[in-house]
Amino acid sequence: MPDTTTVSESTSATPAFPMARTCPYALPEGYTDLRGKEAPLQRVTLFDGTGAWVVSGHAEARKLLADSRLSSDKLNPGFPAISVAEKAHRPFRTITELDPPEHDTHRRMLIPAFTARRIQEMRPLVQKIVDDCLDAIIEKGPSVDLVAEFAVHVPSMVICHLLDIPYEDHEFFQAMTRKITQERGTLDEAGIKQVLGETWGYLDRRVTELENEPEQGLLSLLATERVASGTLEHHDLVAMALVLLVAAQETTSSTLGSGIVTLLEHPGQLARLQADPALWPNAVEELLRFTSVADMGTRRAAKEDIEIGGVVIRAGEGVIIPNLLVNRDPKVFADPDTFDVGRSARTHLAFGHGVHNCIGQNMSRLVLEVGFQSLFTRLPGLRLAVAAEELEMSPAGGVQTLTALPVAW
Ligand code: HEM
């Protein structure tokens, strides 16, 4: 029987999606083609042969991300899945997949822990984590893999502290989050079920422990204030823990890794930062725009027909808003493929937009600013230990990340 949810059939004329990156910051070739088209929305073909819309215009992306006629619910048959693993049945749903009003209830519970003020209070802790990590690197050097020794550890330690997850379990949960975010495009249904099942089991046990013996962090707070009062189910708290752990870890560590390469490959920009450290917060915004690692993070299914950018998205069709692509829209960012730490990049969509915009963005900004600035201050002679062309990126479809980053100083 034909799949009636796929309203617009894909044809051989529509490019395959997602597209792999070979460089942490350069556009895949196919993105340049999509951006070159006159219309800000184009049809693409997904892995299972279904079609979806890809948005390349920044203005259209903002409008669509704020449009309640689009749903984040992956159970919606028109949702643009980008791998077999994503279509596999899951016994739970997380905040990222809920539509309002259910979504808003969950989000309101999390917001107090992520306000700018609360996150700034974490600055001394983040600085200590970064300093300790750099001490260990310097002792180990003069050459290390900065993905393994720095980019993964720093955000992981920060989120563990925030959530009450013991860092000594990091080998387990870092491997799990890597599989869920980076390698999901390569997992089959059984593979993703196993990874999610093991991660769920671990967090289920941890949340139960915290319900019985609360500590200082966010999961303990929600366990004592919400689960105990019956306003949040244990099951939903485990799902929150899972999404926070996964969302915080891979995105921030990938931006650290890709950002380091971007800076090393643009020595003139790095010199500007070293001469004027007050530029770092601005540089972080430009790095977020330029690397846009959660490129596939913003996808939706249309619940009604939507007319936009000269096309009609039909109810039941999938929409993909690759943030790397919309963050290189020349109508918004002049000379968009140039990395410029002095530009005003704050309108980038690397953290999404609308009701689902990234709840952890203040935390990421803090970790990235402290991480980059401390690294390049402590190791001013940092350089790649291999040719940039030899660096490898994770497969298309997941969070875009470097598999390793060998450096020397
Ligand atoms: C550089 C780092 C990060 C990037 C690029 C990033 C990117 C994104 C994007 C694009 C979205 C929007 C998804 C959508 O619209 O469907 C999002 C949502 C989200 N992010 Fe982040 N993120 C980062 C760091 C973090 C951190 C550190 C945390 C937690 C501590 C976090 C937690 C979340 C959560 C819970 C959502 C879902 C919000 C909702 O549905 O209301 N993220 N993120």
Side-chain angles (χ1 to χ4, degrees):
M1 212 174 87
D3 180 357
T4 50
T5 60
T6 310
V7 180
S8 304
E9 288 308 313
S10 57
T11 70
S12 54
T14 64
F17 213 80
M19 296 170 179
R21 269 192 223 184
T22 50
C23 165
Y25 55 81
L27 292 186
E29 229 170 86
Y31 276 25
T32 319
D33 295 342
L34 287 168
R35 186 175 60 176
K37 306 266 194 245
E38 209 175 307
L41 280 89
Q42 299 290 328
R43 297 293 296 169
V44 292
T45 304
L46 304 178
F47 77 100
D48 57 359
T50 58
W53 291 102
V54 160
V55 182
S56 58
H58 183 279
E60 291 75 17
R62 271 179 67 94
K63 270 191 206 150
L64 287 169
L65 287 170
D67 194 322
S68 59
R69 291 171 295 176
L70 286 170
S71 166
S72 292
D73 189 345
K74 289 198 170 77
L75 295 177
N76 195 317
F79 193 90
I82 49 175
S83 64
V84 181
E86 267 195 357
K87 285 199 152 181
H89 169 74
R90 284 200 281 151
F92 61 90
R93 293 199 301 155
T94 66
I95 180 173
T96 53
E97 301 150 67
L98 302 173
D99 289 331
E102 203 184 351
H103 164 266
D104 309 346
T105 315
H106 283 237
R107 185 152 171 130
R108 269 198 300 272
M109 292 185 197
L110 294 176
I111 280 180
F114 292 98
T115 60
R117 190 179 59 82
R118 288 296 292 278
I119 296 301
Q120 278 309 319
E121 285 167 8
M122 292 177 76
R123 186 175 277 269
L125 170 88
V126 173
Q127 186 69 62
K128 170 142 187 21
I129 289 174
V130 168
D131 288 345
D132 290 351
C133 215
L134 288 173
D135 286 346
I137 286 173
I138 290 165
E139 204 178 310
K140 201 168 185 177
S143 77
V144 297
D145 169 10
L146 275 187
V147 167
E149 306 290 340
F150 186 69
V152 171
H153 280 314
V154 171
S156 196
M157 285 185 189
V158 176
I159 193 68
C160 279
H161 175 87
L162 187 92
L163 292 182
D164 287 326
I165 292 181
Y167 191 68
E168 52 267 30
D169 297 337
H170 69 273
E171 278 184 20
F172 167 75
F173 61 73
Q174 285 169 0
M176 294 295 129
T177 55
R178 190 170 55 244
K179 283 187 180 154
I180 295 169
T181 57
Q182 290 174 28
E183 297 164 16
R184 65 178 175 218
T186 59
L187 293 176
D188 61 12
E189 188 164 344
I192 190 73
K193 269 190 180 157
Q194 189 189 341
V195 175
L196 286 174
E198 280 182 42
T199 314
W200 181 275
Y202 170 79
L203 292 170
D204 187 13
R205 286 191 295 280
R206 183 65 189 141
V207 168
T208 306
E209 276 168 17
L210 295 170
E211 282 164 359
N212 295 328
E213 284 182 52
E215 294 177 11
Q216 302 294 318
L218 179 59
L219 296 182
S220 298
L221 185 78
L222 291 170
T224 45
E225 284 188 358
R226 302 290 184 161
V227 179
S229 67
T231 48
L232 183 69
E233 298 290 330
H234 166 86
H235 188 263
D236 290 329
L237 183 53
V238 179
M240 268 185 193
L242 195 143
V243 76
L244 287 170
L245 185 64
V246 170
Q249 169 65 53
E250 293 299 323
T251 48
T252 316
S253 73
S254 301
T255 309
L256 274 173
S258 294
I260 294 166
V261 177
T262 307
L263 289 162
L264 290 175
E265 290 290 279
H266 296 83
Q269 298 298 312
L270 183 56
R272 281 176 78 183
L273 289 160
Q274 280 164 332
D276 180 7
L279 266 180
W280 273 111
N282 206 59
V284 166
E285 299 306 323
E286 174 67 344
L287 284 162
L288 284 159
R289 178 189 81 86
F290 211 60
T291 59
S292 295
V293 301
D295 195 23
M296 289 295 108
T298 33
R299 284 171 288 141
R300 303 286 187 266
K303 294 187 284 186
E304 296 172 33
D305 289 1
I306 301 171
E307 206 179 325
I308 187 159
V311 306
V312 178
I313 301 170
R314 298 281 175 208
E317 289 186 327
V319 181
I320 304 174
I321 302 165
N323 51 60
L324 180 66
L325 186 54
V326 297
N327 284 339
R328 302 289 183 100
D329 180 346
K331 290 196 212 74
V332 179
F333 301 103
D335 207 358
D337 299 331
T338 297
F339 174 61
D340 174 3
V341 296
R343 83 157 77 223
S344 171
R346 188 89 188 191
T347 52
H348 67 72
L349 299 176
F351 289 126
H353 176 68
V355 293
H356 286 280
N357 78 76
C358 179
I359 214 164
Q361 53 187 285
N362 292 328
M363 194 170 132
S364 289
R365 288 188 166 107
L366 174 65
V367 171
L368 294 171
E369 186 198 317
V370 173
F372 289 130
Q373 185 169 0
S374 305
L375 175 74
F376 286 104
T377 305
R378 297 275 302 272
L379 297 172
L382 195 73
R383 60 180 196 283
L384 290 178
V386 296
E389 305 72 57
E390 284 176 38
L391 295 171
E392 273 180 25
M393 297 296 290
S394 58
V399 173
Q400 291 293 284
T401 199
L402 284 160
T403 53
L405 176 49
V407 293
W409 58 90

